[in-house]
Amino acid sequence: MISFEGVTKRFGAWTAVDNLSLTVAAGEFRVLIGPSGSGKSTVLRMMNRLIAPDAGTIRVEGEDIARLKPETLRRRMGYVIQSVGLFPHWTVERNIAAVPDLLGWPRARVRDRVTELLTLLNLDPERYRGAYPHELSGGQQQRVGVARALAAEPHILLMDEPFSALDPITRGALQAEMAAIHTATGTTIVFVTHDMDEALALASRIAILDRGRLVQSGTPLDILTDPADDRVRDLVGREEWGLKRLAVETVAERTRPGETAPGDPLAAGASLRQALAAMVARGTDRLPVADGQGRPMGALHLADLLRGPDRS
Amino acid sequence: MTRLRPIHNRVALLLAAMTVAAALALPFLGFAPNRLLSGKAIALGAVPGAGWSGAALLPVALLLAVPFLRPGRAVNALYVGAGVLAAAGLVWLAGQHAALLAAVASPAARTSFGAGFWVMEAAALLAVLDGVRRLGLGPAGRVAVGVLAAALIGGQFAAGHLDQLSIMREYANQRDVFAGAVLRHAALVAAALPPTLLIGVPLGIAAQRSAAVGRLVFPVLNVVQTIPSIALFGLLLAPLSALAAAFPGLGIGGVGPVPAVIALTLYSLLPIARNTAAGLAGVPEPVREAARGIGMTPRQIFWRVEAPLALPVFLAGLRITLVQAVGLAAVAALIGAGGLGAIMFQGLFANALDLVLLGAVPVILLAVAADAALKLASALALSRLGRTAA
């Protein structure tokens, strides 16, 4: 879907991106993570030609983007930034309709799309479509920012630390919504963050960058169980490694089918970290598990949490 | 210890003190045997036969009470209403006094406004402004108050009530040229506007886009701004005369309206360019980045995002420019451009202060009208953009 081949970008004497090769497959939720100055935002901004590389080739859906008109390329991709950047003189509706308007969609289609997106992002369409950005909370503004980016049904969504400025509760809600949107639409998402918990929670694959180079690329589980070097171990967090490790797997994967246990059941989709928290809170070493419809699936034992991941 | 009534409105208290002091210590009118002699002072109410006409001062008395009243919408409305009526009443009283004096004096005698009148009139108008602010009136309400005051004072003018005041005697003499002078004055300002916008706006945009251009443009415009207007007209005289001699068919010359319009344009460039640049610089960087990121072309970014967001600051610059140009155009009379300045200078050279006033008052009114019109325009532009006035 997106590929970097030997891409380098310098700002004066500073090499922000150093001979980087990276591939983002179609449908991936790819998180770029690294310390500040690692070049992660520069990589993202080269994908929609907000920054031009000094060397190397960037392809999007097979096309060398240097040959495309920047505007044409950008209208095919959604773009969400940390500071949101809603147009303050436009209503929520007109903000969301910005790209469809640029593409010349008919009015009725734009209107339906705005309604659909506001509903998708849990904003009441009738209440918010006529509101101005300054009337919204920070979390609501970023919901509109995401809706604007999704408006023209892009195949690719670029997000540059979109939730970093939000409070933890709002951030958690928006992360859950992004995960749901990714599942529902299959849009390829490239997401920049410096927060490893966010990366582990959202990514299907993570790329760790440092000083403009790719340090490691892999699934959250790969990163946790097989860190490439000390920089990755630092990012993952040595102390909390175990908890992060538990956070990326669901209860369903470790449930012993057919067994029963007393107490309220855990949801099969809950993370192992949540399961551990529930066991500690209830003072038990086993809990029943139920599926999405509330039907009993089996039981989860504390010992199952201590096993390594199934590689079978 | 005596219990003092609390003061609720310090501005109104100051204006009341000004009014009382002016009424007691300063002459309300001046009365002279003819237009060239300086007049003798006439205190408020010191005109024989004035009698019941002092009732016109009732709203002034109301204004004096305002600082002691507990504030609220009703008191603030009273404040504005009394201010408007006091401003009109003072003018009416001056006209009434002038008529009484004229009845017993020679036809050459002149009655003019005295310092007391001006201070009291200013206090009344300031009370209106303060009251309008305290009432929190919107643009429409402000215009309504302005129109009401203008109608009450203009009505007396139209009805001939003020005819015996010296300024109106001068007006009677200048009746044939007065309307032409006002039109010419407005035309000079209006003629300078298109070149100002055509040059100043692109300069402002270029200065905001490139720091190098800004470092070049603003110092130059600043220097132009500091040249005294008379000197600028003088500086334009030589090149324009040369141009006129070289191309007689162009219809320009070293004197007349063309150099006046050029000079007004040069003075207007700084506020227009400065505010255009400041308005664009005020567009938040994330908004610009978002516009780029979603695929707007540079032209679309300018027209859809930057221009509307810069508009309020730009309109403020236009307001400053117009008010400044209305004042500067008066000086243009010195190089034969005509306008209200011609009447003012005629009065200055003849030592006839009321003739100066006849030129100056309409200049002030034009400036106030331009100011109000642009304030209204920017309020409308802002509400159309869905934002409240800053």
Side-chain angles (χ1 to χ4, degrees):
Chain A
M1 194 60 140
I2 305 173
S3 71
F4 278 52
E5 292 154 31
V7 172
T8 296
K9 176 66 195 179
R10 292 183 201 86
F11 295 107
W14 167 254
T15 303
V17 177
D18 190 1
N19 194 22
L20 178 77
S21 295
L22 178 73
T23 309
V24 178
E28 251 180 25
F29 198 131
R30 169 69 83 150
V31 174
L32 306 179
I33 187 168
S36 53
S38 60
K40 55 191 190 297
S41 279
T42 306
V43 169
L44 189 82
R45 291 155 61 85
M46 286 196 286
M47 290 176 183
N48 64 358
R49 288 194 59 185
L50 285 175
I51 295 176
D54 294 323
T57 310
I58 302 170
R59 289 179 203 282
V60 169
E61 296 180 278
E63 287 178 280
D64 181 351
I65 63 169
R67 292 164 200 244
L68 293 173
K69 251 181 81 181
E71 287 81 18
T72 314
L73 174 73
R74 290 172 195 152
R75 287 172 198 178
R76 280 173 24 191
M77 298 174 154
Y79 184 53
V80 184
I81 55 178
Q82 183 184 341
S83 39
V84 191
L86 294 181
F87 304 121
H89 56 307
W90 286 357
T91 59
V92 164
E93 168 145 36
R94 196 151 174 224
N95 266 286
I96 296 175
V99 182
D101 282 346
L102 289 174
L103 295 172
W105 285 20
R107 281 211 159 278
R109 186 177 168 203
V110 173
R111 206 177 152 74
D112 290 348
R113 182 69 180 148
V114 169
T115 308
E116 189 185 339
L117 284 163
L118 284 172
T119 310
L120 181 67
L121 284 142
N122 293 319
L123 291 169
D124 175 10
E126 290 329 300
R127 179 156 171 216
Y128 288 107
R129 71 189 321 142
Y132 283 88
H134 70 88
E135 297 166 329
L136 307 180
S137 71
Q140 290 170 334
Q141 289 186 14
Q142 194 55 291
R143 286 191 158 88
V144 176
V146 172
R148 176 175 67 182
L150 290 170
E153 294 163 355
H155 296 163
I156 298 170
L157 184 57
L158 307 180
M159 308 183 84
D160 194 352
E161 304 210 23
F163 309 140
S164 305
L166 303 175
D167 66 82
I169 292 170
T170 311
R171 189 189 312 149
L174 272 160
Q175 284 169 355
E177 281 162 34
M178 277 325 298
I181 287 168
H182 179 244
T183 310
T185 62
T187 308
T188 307
I189 299 178
V190 184
F191 189 108
V192 165
T193 183
H194 59 259
D195 175 353
M196 188 47 103
D197 287 319
E198 186 169 62
L200 293 171
L202 289 175
S204 54
R205 287 176 76 82
I206 295 176
I208 298 173
L209 299 170
D210 188 39
R211 298 176 188 206
R213 292 172 191 240
L214 186 64
V215 176
Q216 189 171 5
S217 174
T219 65
L221 206 54
D222 292 339
I223 302 286
L224 282 166
T225 54
D226 192 14
D229 60 18
D230 279 350
R231 288 174 294 180
V232 179
R233 273 181 213 105
D234 280 339
L235 266 177
V236 169
R238 290 163 195 273
E239 308 265 315
E240 290 181 38
W241 180 88
L243 290 175
K244 289 197 163 88
R245 167 72 185 72
L246 289 175
V248 299
E249 248 186 290
T250 60
V251 167
E253 294 167 68
R254 303 287 180 97
T255 299
R256 301 182 184 186
E259 282 196 26
T260 55
D264 285 341
L266 283 167
S271 72
L272 292 180
R273 183 174 174 161
Q274 287 167 314
L276 178 64
M279 286 178 187
V280 171
R282 298 186 202 172
T284 177
D285 64 353
R286 67 191 64 182
L287 285 170
V289 177
D291 67 11
Q293 279 77 47
R295 291 181 299 236
M297 273 179 70
L300 180 72
H301 291 235
L302 180 59
D304 300 333
L305 302 184
L306 306 180
R307 272 195 286 129
D310 285 326
R311 299 263 183 163
S312 50
Chain B
M1 210 176 102
T2 324
R3 269 182 61 127
L4 290 172
R5 301 199 61 170
I7 304 301
H8 293 294
N9 181 339
R10 289 176 188 284
V11 176
L13 182 70
L14 177 71
L15 295 176
M18 270 170 67
T19 304
V20 171
L24 294 178
L26 294 172
F28 186 63
L29 297 172
F31 180 75
N34 64 55
R35 72 185 281 205
L36 299 180
L37 292 177
S38 53
K40 72 174 202 287
I42 296 185
L44 189 60
V47 176
W52 54 269
S53 65
L57 291 175
L58 203 63
V60 178
L62 276 177
L63 274 186
L64 299 185
V66 165
F68 306 102
L69 298 175
R70 190 171 294 280
R73 268 198 86 75
V75 168
N76 286 332
L78 171 82
Y79 189 28
V80 172
V84 169
L85 290 177
L90 286 163
V91 171
W92 184 87
L93 197 62
Q96 178 72 6
H97 281 19
L100 289 170
L101 289 166
V104 295
S106 78
R110 293 301 184 98
T111 307
S112 52
F113 296 122
F117 169 83
W118 289 119
V119 172
M120 292 167 77
E121 183 72 15
L125 291 173
L126 287 171
V128 174
L129 291 180
D130 185 44
V132 161
R133 192 180 57 75
R134 283 170 197 269
L135 262 182
L137 284 185
R142 284 162 193 252
V143 168
V145 169
V147 167
L148 177 67
L152 286 177
I153 296 171
Q156 303 178 43
F157 162 82
H161 177 72
L162 310 177
D163 284 355
Q164 294 308 320
L165 278 163
S166 180
I167 183 171
M168 292 310 293
R169 300 275 292 273
E170 296 291 356
Y171 170 72
N173 292 338
Q174 303 285 338
R175 192 185 293 270
D176 297 339
V177 296
F178 183 79
V182 173
L183 284 179
R184 167 57 77 91
H185 202 94
L188 285 175
V189 173
L193 199 56
T196 298
L197 294 177
L198 285 175
I199 303 167
V201 172
L203 273 184
I205 294 170
Q208 196 268 327
R209 296 271 155 93
S210 146
V213 174
R215 276 196 299 274
L216 185 73
V217 165
F218 287 126
V220 171
L221 293 183
N222 269 320
V223 168
V224 170
Q225 199 75 16
T226 60
I227 301 174
S229 43
I230 304 267
L232 187 56
F233 290 131
L235 287 174
L236 287 171
L237 202 61
L240 285 175
S241 301
L243 200 62
F247 304 97
L250 281 180
I252 58 169
V255 295
V258 172
V261 168
I262 293 175
L264 288 180
T265 302
L266 288 174
Y267 282 126
S268 301
L269 287 179
L270 180 69
I272 284 289
R274 175 76 76 194
N275 280 51
T276 302
L280 291 173
V283 176
E285 204 43 53
V287 171
R288 215 175 254 130
E289 180 181 348
R292 233 152 66 84
I294 67 166
M296 287 193 192
T297 62
R299 185 182 294 254
Q300 286 166 335
I301 294 173
F302 181 79
W303 287 111
R304 297 184 186 202
V305 178
E306 293 182 306
L309 291 176
L311 190 63
V313 178
F314 169 78
L315 285 177
L318 188 59
R319 195 158 60 80
I320 297 166
T321 303
L322 276 182
V323 170
Q324 177 186 271
V326 166
L328 281 171
V331 186
L334 283 180
I335 52 163
L340 288 161
I343 295 177
M344 285 167 61
F345 285 115
Q346 196 188 331
L348 271 179
F349 297 142
N351 198 24
L353 280 181
D354 289 301
L355 191 50
V356 177
L357 217 51
L358 183 66
V361 169
V363 170
I364 295 167
L365 293 180
L366 272 180
V368 169
D371 187 75
L374 270 158
K375 272 188 181 149
L376 190 65
S378 44
L380 289 176
L382 280 180
S383 70
R384 206 173 56 80
L385 293 174
R387 288 176 300 158
T388 47

